[in-house]
Amino acid sequence: MMLLSAEVFARRAPEHTQDFAGIAFGSSRETVIEEVMKMGYQPYGQSGKEGERVVVPIFKFGELPVQVDFIFNSNEKFSSFEIRTGRVERSRMSKAFEAVEYMSDQFTLKYGKPNSNPRIDEESNLKEGVRNFYLEWLSVSTLDINTAVVQIEGRYFAVGTVTHRLLSNEKVKSAAPAKAKASNAPVF
């Protein structure tokens, strides 16, 4: 019985990791917008310009209000998402670390155990303008997953990113094949 339940969990786990809030990686921009609106959010980035993200400025990530960016590959397929908190000043930096811990706990529930202990804490010398990685999940074969704290101009925020490797590296679909020479035969 235990073997059967382990097998069922193993089969469900990869499917469970291939989405954000029920929106599957590989979904079209239109599908993402539709699903986000079904959740009651009004997203930005609906024009569909190349490289434009679909952004939900205030998304309830459990107990944590975050901004969610849905990122699309060159074929307009949902390939990555990024969640981030609002910025806080240095005197409230502990809030950014509480947020990154909460994000990390939620990622652990969804993706399993991270690959190491946290790399940074409030005493760390954080680099300006880059992701100072807190935790990474390297055991999920198709995804790049991390949480981090970013410092920009003396303000701090937590960020979590999940990228589907295959979709993010997907080649641009080629143009429609060249049309065959016109024929005198009917087309129906």
Side-chain angles (χ1 to χ4, degrees):
M1 182 67 176
M2 186 181 271
L3 182 60
L4 177 62
S5 63
E7 184 176 332
V8 168
F9 178 77
R11 287 184 185 177
R12 286 189 53 204
E15 293 172 14
H16 183 62
T17 64
Q18 301 296 310
D19 69 76
F20 176 79
I23 302 171
F25 283 116
S27 296
S28 68
R29 177 181 297 275
E30 294 77 25
T31 299
V32 169
I33 291 168
E34 183 179 305
E35 293 300 318
V36 166
M37 291 178 89
K38 282 180 187 176
M39 289 184 245
Y41 297 104
Q42 185 64 39
Y44 298 123
Q46 296 186 38
S47 68
K49 295 176 185 169
E50 189 171 331
E52 183 179 37
R53 298 174 175 206
V54 170
V55 178
V56 179
I58 301 174
F59 183 89
K60 202 69 169 146
F61 186 70
E63 299 173 12
L64 190 63
V66 297
Q67 174 179 307
V68 178
D69 289 18
F70 293 89
I71 303 164
F72 299 86
N73 67 15
S74 56
N75 291 319
E76 286 297 302
K77 293 180 184 175
F78 169 42
S79 62
S80 181
F81 68 86
E82 185 175 276
I83 58 174
R84 73 182 84 133
T85 62
R87 296 179 183 186
V88 295
E89 59 281 345
R90 176 134 179 86
S91 64
R92 297 185 62 222
M93 182 173 59
S94 63
K95 294 294 184 191
F97 276 91
E98 287 174 18
V100 81
E101 287 174 23
Y102 182 80
M103 274 183 203
S104 297
D105 289 346
Q106 296 305 309
F107 279 24
T108 298
L109 290 172
K110 184 159 183 148
Y111 303 111
K113 187 176 178 188
N115 285 60
S116 64
N117 292 324
R119 293 183 184 176
I120 58 170
D121 60 25
E122 290 180 52
E123 304 301 317
S124 298
N125 186 16
L126 301 180
K127 294 178 183 174
E128 174 87 18
V130 298
R131 292 172 191 252
N132 297 277
F133 289 115
Y134 185 75
L135 287 173
E136 289 183 283
W137 287 257
L138 303 173
S139 60
V140 183
S141 63
T142 59
L143 303 174
D144 289 328
I145 307 164
N146 64 69
T147 54
V149 173
V150 179
Q151 173 194 358
I152 296 178
E153 298 175 358
R155 300 187 72 178
Y156 302 82
F157 62 95
V159 63
T161 305
V162 178
T163 302
H164 192 286
R165 279 191 214 110
L166 299 174
L167 287 168
S168 67
N169 294 322
E170 188 176 69
K171 302 282 186 213
V172 177
K173 288 182 185 175
S174 60
K179 291 184 178 181
K181 285 187 174 182
S183 165
N184 287 338
V187 293
F188 56 95

